[in-house]
Amino acid sequence: MHMIEAIIKPSSIDGIKSKLAGLGILGMTALECKGFGKQKGHTERYRGGRMDVGFVPKVTLKIAVREEDLEKAISAIESAARTGNVGDGKVFVYPLAKVVRIRTGETDNDAL
């Protein structure tokens, strides 16, 4: 089992959700966040003046997947989020030692 953490543009979330649902991956957590990378933020106008804003709105997705679904899930996230422009995001993958569904007590793959 693995935890996928994807930091993406907010506009990509619906496409990612649809592609993952098509693969049978239905659960995910989405967190609104701010960050920057190579794009180094953006410029906004405030009361007629220009301001450099260091952080860009992003969404962090957390998705727990089975070993056999890992590569398909990463590929789906990449294809749905890729625009070819700076700021498309990143995908991080972590191993999961244990998963427990609190309601039923199911563990590991059964809990996903």
Side-chain angles (χ1 to χ4, degrees):
M1 297 174 303
H2 295 278
M3 177 64 74
I4 298 172
E5 184 175 282
I7 301 172
I8 58 164
K9 292 179 178 180
S11 59
S12 300
I13 193 167
D14 289 332
I16 291 171
K17 184 179 171 187
S18 295
K19 285 199 174 210
L20 291 175
L23 295 173
I25 301 169
L26 302 174
M28 76 171 66
T29 300
L31 307 162
E32 292 181 7
C33 59
K34 293 181 182 181
F36 70 93
K38 288 185 179 181
Q39 84 271 26
K40 298 183 176 94
H42 64 283
T43 303
E44 289 184 359
R45 291 203 172 273
Y46 179 72
R47 294 187 178 185
R50 290 176 50 142
M51 294 177 46
D52 285 330
V53 179
F55 291 94
V56 178
K58 298 286 183 179
V59 173
T60 299
L61 298 178
K62 292 186 171 253
I63 309 153
V65 297
R66 294 175 175 88
E67 180 74 37
E68 59 269 18
D69 294 332
L70 179 62
E71 293 304 322
K72 293 184 287 186
I74 292 170
S75 180
I77 293 166
E78 280 185 284
S79 66
R82 180 178 291 134
T83 65
N85 298 319
V86 173
D88 280 347
K90 296 248 185 338
V91 176
F92 303 96
V93 179
Y94 308 99
L96 280 177
K98 186 154 189 85
V99 177
V100 178
R101 179 173 293 163
I102 295 171
R103 178 177 54 88
T104 62
E106 294 170 302
T107 60
D108 299 330
N109 280 333
D110 292 334
L112 296 180

